[in-house]
Amino acid sequence: MKKSVLLMALLLGLTACGSGGGSKEEPRPEIDWSTLDDNNYHPTPENQDPLGEFNLVSPVDHKVINTLETFVWQESENADKYTLEICSSPTFVRDNENIDYYSRENIHATNWTIGSSLAYGNVNYYWRVTAYNGTGSVESTSTFSFFIVAQEAEEVLFDLGDADDWQLHPTGSYADVFVDDNNFFENGQESIGVQFKKEDTNQGIPESDGWVIVTKTIEKSIYGTDGLYFKMFYAGQDANLVIRLIDRDNEFWFCNVKVSNNAKQEVILKFEDFIQRTADVTVGNRTFDYERIKYFEIVFERSFGDGLFLISEVKAIKFANYQSLFIKKLDFSSYPEDMWTYENYTFEKDVSEDELTLKYYAKTDENHKGLYNYGFAKINVNQFFDVGDSIKVSIKYTGGKGSTIYIRVYEEDKDRWRYSVPYDALVEDEYTTLIIPFAAFEKSGDFQGDGKRQFYRILNLQFGLEGYTSGSRTDGTLSFKDFEIVSKKVYKPEESRYINSTGLVENFDEYKFSCESFLVWDLSEVNKDEYIALEASNKVGGTANKKAGRIDYKSDMMPAVYTIPINTDVNFTSLSVMLKDASIKSGDPRFGHVTNWSANTTIVINLITEEEYKFNFQALSTVWTEYNIPFEMFELRNADDIYHFPNEITPGGIVSISIELQYFYYDVFGNPLPQYTMNNPVYIDDLYLGHDTSYSSSEKEKTIVMKDGISDVDDFEAYHDDDDLKFFWVEDPNKGADYKHIELSNDTSSKGGEHSMAMQYKTKNDSPSYYIAPVFDGGVKARAVSFDLRSEKPATVYFNLYLRIGGNVKQVRITMNSVSSDWTRYTYGLGDENITIVSGAPYTFNANDLIYVYRISFGMTYSNDTTEELSMVYLDNLKFDFNIEDYNYKKVEKID
């Protein structure tokens, strides 16, 4: 019905145009049909007299007009009809997509009003008229020109039409296009829907799989606008959405859309952010001539799986009219009190245009709730972040310290992301300015959306702290200043990292804040889960090694690529790197046949002459392993893409080193079974260029195995000195401040033993933490843990296990109160009666869970002594026991 109405309107419009809108046409001669025999009718012959010269009248030559006028010319003597031509070229070129040409024939008057607008504005047009009769034709004695000023539009609505008005690209994946008239977006308008299924996007056809393209003819003049607005909704598996516009000279221009799964989105794209596609399409003047749009296209690229998409209210807009929806620089004072909410603590808040200060108190009172370890002030902004990829902000604190300062971003699809700043990394009462790329924000809590960092439409911004807990506290303030959206490329190092004779490319120790690594490393975006974390708990090398890197990826996607630009003139011959795979076995029974969960990992050396040399790892170990790889073992992988004889790897030719991660899930028959899983990281440390000539790999981490049901973690006998000890045991930098210290001791719990570990703490202070990060062999099982302790004072000692299960971290604890000054052996079953859940959901330990343990720590505290003295707790013979059958077993015995 709708199509019929549109068609009728179109026909009526054409009829109106045919009437000319100018002078009346000559009346037809009356014919007496009754007097005519067959073939007796002959039309009136055309005038055979010579045509007279004539000229054009209006619009006058070189006139500037705002709207099209009636075109008027003089009469040509003996003329029967006229043809009017209008063209944006003085040569009146036809059939050229870059030139606007209009003509009207068989005009029987000396004027004409065209019934449609010309395609272009702000250009010169040329017009002429030709007179005709039976003798031939004659052109007007001159050609006139006029300059038509384009009329600026505030908004231009695109007519979405019916489903049949949209064309599905024949070489892409199949999709259903439909009209939804249920007012889904509550805007009183219909929506166009596109639905595709996994079986259509995964057919084994590389040139079409994962591509869905639907096109609508628009033919709209949108001069004066500078952006595109629409409402959309997407539900389904991972999808890359692109809006593509074809301009007046048929060039293809596209812009990526940040898709929030299962969320009604309001999207605004600036035309200046559209990028031209040049491969296999029309290339004209290489300028986005968006004042006239010919076609509007919805493109899903590399989108494998089921998907449902709705779009409505598509219109060209003036971005300035929507500026209030965007945050460029946050004005804290512009948000009234009813737009602020608080979590756990009602801060005393002070705001100005560019600064937010939150005051917190050492003790609770009638006006403030208890802080309960952490608290946040939230601004319910419900706005877009402006164009950029980073947040620039200055942070300071005064007075009482917690452990961590947080900025959290809550997206419209209810994904929450956080960036953390340790208090200890700041100088009290001094602002520190950070550039925090969006990519540097990590997951915060359980995702309700799709787990992708859109950082586009933001529901609220959250500012707060954690770790302000028990003990002696003072009042404090936390301040955030000059919060604005910026581009990280402005703040990236101007030069690539020079590699001197030490060969060090990256060891992650130099970064004070995690966001700094994102300014050095370039992250691809095609995998959607690229992230670099600075890890202190999963490194090796003890306290001397401050940090390692953790790099993430998403399965069943394009490779996640991490690239560090470098340059060197030292004659290196090899590359070395320490890597560790941290993949978690899937609990899905469909993958019971899978034995290798390791990421497909590739190291790439990129040359200035565009050669890419790769080295593939067959399977990364779950133990920290150092790999030494001579350059000659790297293989050229892009021979087909370079147009010269390949250059070998030479130090002066290296411009960057890349690390690529990828993993695909397959069913038992070898068919792709995409999971789009996250949280299977790879750890990386000590990336060097070196002088090795042969390949080698060596494990650098303590691996725990089981023998006769016993798994020995440490009896401290293998260490020769404190440096040996501290390669495996770490003084946690986040716990215990300046009094944390471990050392090798000859005070042992067993005969024949030479060493134990002494752990220092300060009475009436927060507990320090000392940990080891071993790897448990897959065959290790345990129902109990055993260790020997001796304390100089009757301290409370905490034994902690950290487990990573399904991407979530759980911390469980056993607490020993009033540890004796005599050596005592503690044996605890790993059951609920002995274990306290410190973090994570409730959990019941089982014998096979040690393979998920990535960290074991001890802490100690003694609050009955007011002198704040240094004291020691001694540890020996740490082991796990599978022979004890009772998970709730408990035995504490003195050692003779």
Side-chain angles (χ1 to χ4, degrees):
M1 177 67 181
K2 185 185 295 181
K3 288 184 64 179
S4 299
V5 171
L6 289 173
L7 182 58
M8 184 173 292
L10 178 61
L11 290 173
L12 289 172
L14 290 176
T15 303
C17 290
S19 67
S23 301
K24 295 181 179 180
E25 298 184 11
E26 294 296 329
R28 296 178 181 175
E30 294 295 329
I31 301 173
D32 184 359
W33 296 97
S34 63
T35 64
L36 296 177
D37 296 326
D38 291 344
N39 300 321
N40 273 349
Y41 172 69
H42 298 285
T44 302
E46 292 182 322
N47 196 322
Q48 300 296 312
D49 295 327
L51 288 164
E53 292 185 356
F54 68 103
N55 206 349
L56 308 180
V57 177
S58 67
V60 298
D61 199 15
H62 305 304
K63 185 175 183 180
V64 176
I65 61 176
N66 293 311
T67 58
L68 285 175
E69 304 175 359
T70 298
F71 289 85
V72 181
W73 53 92
Q74 295 173 344
E75 182 180 3
S76 173
E77 188 177 0
N78 302 317
D80 291 322
K81 56 188 177 182
Y82 300 91
T83 294
L84 168 65
E85 294 177 281
I86 306 170
C87 188
S88 58
S89 166
T91 58
F92 292 87
V93 175
R94 301 171 182 246
D95 301 322
N96 187 316
E97 294 175 343
N98 298 320
I99 295 175
D100 191 18
Y101 177 85
Y102 171 93
S103 71
R104 178 68 187 186
E105 300 176 349
N106 298 316
I107 302 173
H108 296 280
T110 57
N111 57 76
W112 187 260
T113 302
I114 66 173
S116 62
S117 63
L118 298 173
Y120 302 164
N122 286 348
V123 297
N124 274 309
Y125 275 92
Y126 304 85
W127 68 286
R128 67 186 181 188
V129 176
T130 303
Y132 294 89
N133 70 6
T135 65
S137 64
V138 62
E139 288 186 7
S140 54
T141 55
S142 60
T143 297
F144 281 7
S145 70
F146 60 90
F147 183 86
I148 184 167
V149 177
Q151 297 301 297
E152 291 195 9
E154 295 290 319
E155 291 190 353
V156 179
L157 186 67
F158 289 6
D159 180 16
L160 298 183
D162 285 344
D164 291 345
D165 297 323
W166 293 81
Q167 293 183 347
L168 187 66
H169 199 287
T171 60
S173 299
Y174 177 76
D176 288 321
V177 182
F178 61 92
V179 172
D180 179 87
D181 57 2
N182 294 311
N183 196 23
F184 178 78
F185 293 100
E186 299 178 344
N187 58 353
Q189 298 188 29
E190 295 177 333
S191 306
I192 288 293
V194 180
Q195 185 170 18
F196 47 87
K197 298 179 180 179
K198 180 162 49 176
E199 53 265 32
D200 293 321
T201 62
N202 284 282
Q203 298 190 61
I205 308 173
E207 59 270 20
S208 64
D209 277 358
W211 291 83
V212 174
I213 306 172
V214 290
T215 303
K216 171 72 168 59
T217 301
I218 296 296
E219 290 292 355
K220 284 283 188 179
S221 176
I222 59 171
Y223 180 77
T225 64
D226 57 4
L228 190 70
Y229 172 100
F230 54 89
K231 293 184 176 180
M232 59 164 277
F233 172 85
Y234 178 79
Q237 292 170 295
D238 271 281
N240 289 333
L241 175 62
V242 171
I243 294 299
R244 197 158 64 189
L245 301 174
I246 291 85
D247 67 8
R248 67 184 186 185
D249 57 348
N250 293 306
E251 291 180 319
F252 286 67
W253 297 83
F254 69 91
C255 190
N256 293 311
V257 178
K258 295 180 178 180
V259 179
S260 296
N261 207 354
N262 287 309
K264 293 181 180 180
Q265 292 183 247
E266 193 174 20
V267 178
I268 298 177
L269 306 176
K270 289 183 177 180
F271 289 146
E272 66 184 40
D273 295 325
F274 278 69
I275 300 171
Q276 184 177 15
R277 180 188 171 187
T278 57
D280 304 320
V281 295
T282 299
V283 177
N285 61 5
R286 296 184 179 270
T287 300
F288 189 11
D289 302 307
Y290 54 78
E291 62 267 20
R292 188 168 186 88
I293 299 300
K294 289 190 173 183
Y295 302 99
F296 176 87
E297 292 188 334
I298 302 166
V299 181
F300 287 94
E301 58 180 17
R302 300 190 313 277
S303 302
F304 303 98
D306 298 331
L308 172 64
F309 174 76
L310 292 171
I311 189 169
S312 181
E313 200 176 336
V314 182
K315 55 188 176 183
I317 62 165
K318 280 189 175 180
F319 182 78
N321 295 340
Y322 291 78
Q323 188 63 54
S324 62
L325 292 177
F326 285 80
I327 299 173
K328 181 61 177 177
K329 185 172 182 179
L330 194 62
D331 181 354
F332 293 102
S333 64
S334 66
Y335 301 98
E337 189 58 38
D338 61 4
M339 295 181 69
W340 292 80
T341 57
Y342 301 89
E343 180 178 344
N344 281 9
Y345 190 79
T346 305
F347 291 96
E348 185 176 306
K349 173 171 55 67
D350 182 35
V351 298
S352 65
E353 180 178 326
D354 59 357
E355 186 176 19
L356 164 68
T357 296
L358 305 173
K359 186 172 183 178
Y360 44 93
Y361 294 87
K363 297 180 180 179
T364 60
D365 57 36
E366 59 184 4
N367 297 319
H368 295 85
K369 301 177 183 178
L371 194 55
Y372 302 121
N373 191 43
Y374 72 97
F376 290 89
K378 305 176 183 180
I379 315 175
N380 299 308
V381 296
N382 194 23
Q383 290 173 285
F384 297 94
F385 275 171
D386 207 314
V387 176
D389 57 13
S390 304
I391 292 171
K392 181 181 179 183
V393 63
S394 298
I395 304 174
K396 78 171 181 180
Y397 79 93
T398 63
K401 292 171 57 177
S403 61
T404 310
I405 300 165
Y406 288 117
I407 297 174
R408 297 198 301 202
V409 177
Y410 194 52
E411 297 180 309
E412 66 181 332
D413 63 348
K414 300 183 180 178
D415 282 346
R416 191 174 69 189
W417 304 88
R418 74 179 185 186
Y419 182 77
S420 56
V421 179
Y423 268 88
D424 288 341
L426 302 176
V427 178
E428 183 179 2
D429 207 23
E430 291 185 11
Y431 270 109
T432 298
T433 300
L434 301 178
I435 307 300
I436 313 171
F438 298 157
F441 281 75
E442 63 181 340
K443 174 183 177 181
S444 177
D446 294 330
F447 283 169
Q448 298 183 45
D450 58 3
K452 293 188 295 185
R453 298 173 184 85
Q454 279 86 26
F455 282 63
Y456 187 55
R457 184 67 175 256
I458 308 302
L459 294 185
N460 63 59
L461 294 169
Q462 306 177 9
F463 302 87
L465 60 96
E466 182 179 27
Y468 190 76
T469 52
S470 62
S472 177
R473 299 295 185 191
T474 60
D475 296 350
T477 64
L478 184 58
S479 298
F480 303 85
K481 185 177 181 181
D482 296 331
F483 182 107
E484 60 181 313
I485 308 303
V486 298
S487 173
K488 72 176 182 180
K489 66 182 180 182
V490 177
Y491 302 94
K492 281 180 65 67
E494 293 183 2
E495 297 181 358
S496 58
R497 178 171 292 187
Y498 174 72
I499 311 304
N500 60 25
S501 59
T502 66
L504 175 62
V505 177
E506 180 67 277
N507 63 6
F508 298 96
D509 287 349
E510 70 177 71
Y511 304 117
K512 191 174 182 180
F513 303 97
S514 62
C515 59
E516 295 170 335
S517 63
F518 289 83
L519 300 178
V520 174
W521 288 80
D522 295 321
L523 279 59
S524 64
E525 298 180 354
V526 295
N527 182 268
K528 304 180 183 177
D529 196 40
E530 292 86 342
Y531 185 79
I532 300 176
L534 301 181
E535 286 280 344
S537 60
N538 290 291
K539 64 182 178 61
V540 289
T543 305
N545 182 19
K546 297 183 179 65
K547 305 179 188 73
R550 188 197 79 210
I551 53 179
D552 290 334
Y553 68 99
K554 198 166 192 175
S555 70
D556 305 291
M557 302 292 290
M558 300 287 283
V561 183
Y562 299 82
T563 301
I564 182 167
I566 67 166
N567 71 89
T568 185
D569 51 14
V570 180
N571 191 27
F572 296 113
T573 60
S574 64
L575 178 148
S576 69
V577 63
M578 286 180 51
L579 296 169
K580 173 183 177 178
D581 188 83
S583 299
I584 301 297
K585 181 178 180 179
S586 173
D588 192 323
R590 294 176 297 177
F591 303 111
H593 60 288
V594 179
T595 58
N596 175 28
W597 303 92
S598 173
N600 301 319
T601 306
T602 303
I603 300 285
V604 181
I605 297 176
N606 304 290
L607 303 188
I608 194 171
T609 47
E610 299 185 355
E611 289 86 355
E612 299 174 5
Y613 282 91
K614 69 172 183 176
F615 180 87
N616 293 324
F617 295 90
Q618 294 299 317
L620 290 183
S621 173
T622 56
V623 175
W624 273 110
T625 303
E626 183 180 68
Y627 299 90
N628 295 295
I629 314 160
F631 289 161
E632 63 184 23
M633 295 189 67
F634 283 78
E635 299 177 356
L636 181 66
R637 75 169 178 184
N638 66 333
D640 294 337
D641 298 330
I642 56 177
Y643 301 98
H644 53 264
F645 189 80
N647 295 287
E648 299 295 327
I649 301 175
T650 59
I654 301 175
V655 293
S656 64
I657 297 173
S658 300
I659 301 167
E660 301 178 358
L661 307 178
Q662 190 174 36
Y663 187 84
F664 291 99
Y665 282 84
Y666 295 93
D667 65 18
V668 69
F669 301 106
N671 300 313
L673 197 60
Q675 301 300 298
Y676 306 111
T677 57
M678 299 183 286
N679 301 311
N680 286 325
V682 169
Y683 296 109
I684 176 174
D685 206 356
D686 291 348
L687 176 60
Y688 279 84
L689 296 178
H691 301 279
D692 292 293
T693 56
S694 60
Y695 175 82
S696 65
S697 63
S698 57
E699 293 186 358
K700 297 293 183 180
E701 191 169 15
K702 184 183 287 283
T703 303
I704 311 302
V705 297
M706 186 172 67
K707 183 178 182 181
D708 298 330
I710 301 297
S711 302
D712 288 308
V713 176
D714 214 332
D715 60 7
F716 304 98
E717 302 302 327
Y719 309 123
H720 296 91
D721 51 33
D722 288 349
D723 288 340
D724 282 353
L725 173 71
K726 291 181 179 181
F727 187 86
F728 293 103
W729 285 88
V730 178
E731 301 163 350
D732 191 337
N734 297 317
K735 300 286 186 179
D738 56 351
Y739 51 84
K740 59 182 180 294
H741 172 68
I742 56 174
E743 62 185 36
L744 206 59
S745 171
N746 57 11
D747 184 349
T748 67
S749 70
S750 54
K751 293 180 179 180
E754 296 183 358
H755 297 132
S756 67
M757 181 171 70
M759 303 176 287
Q760 183 170 274
Y761 68 100
K762 183 183 284 189
T763 60
K764 202 185 177 183
N765 277 274
D766 286 342
S767 171
S769 178
Y770 305 104
Y771 67 82
I772 188 172
V775 174
F776 287 88
D777 182 80
V780 172
K781 299 180 180 180
R783 300 188 185 98
V785 63
S786 174
F787 42 81
D788 302 341
L789 291 175
R790 186 180 84 79
S791 178
E792 294 176 347
K793 292 180 180 291
T796 298
V797 178
Y798 307 101
F799 168 80
N800 300 285
L801 292 177
Y802 296 81
L803 302 87
R804 183 175 284 111
I805 299 177
N808 297 312
V809 172
K810 301 181 185 299
Q811 180 186 355
V812 300
R813 171 178 291 172
I814 297 174
T815 302
M816 285 68 63
N817 294 307
S818 300
V819 173
S820 173
S821 59
D822 296 322
W823 277 107
T824 304
R825 177 159 295 161
Y826 294 86
T827 306
Y828 289 95
L830 299 174
D832 294 342
E833 291 184 9
N834 296 322
I835 284 181
T836 301
I837 306 296
V838 178
S839 64
Y843 183 72
T844 300
F845 210 98
N846 70 69
N848 298 311
D849 283 353
L850 279 189
I851 61 171
Y852 301 119
V853 172
Y854 68 91
R855 181 176 176 179
I856 302 170
S857 77
F858 285 86
M860 60 289 304
T861 184
Y862 183 63
S863 59
N864 294 335
D865 192 327
T866 61
T867 60
E868 297 195 27
E869 293 182 351
L870 295 174
S871 188
M872 289 287 189
V873 170
Y874 298 87
L875 171 68
D876 206 353
N877 296 323
L878 172 59
K879 61 184 67 177
F880 288 90
D881 194 336
F882 182 58
N883 299 315
I884 295 175
E885 296 185 0
D886 182 4
Y887 277 98
N888 293 314
Y889 179 88
K890 178 179 178 180
K891 186 176 183 180
V892 179
E893 56 182 335
K894 293 287 181 66
I895 301 173
D896 295 332

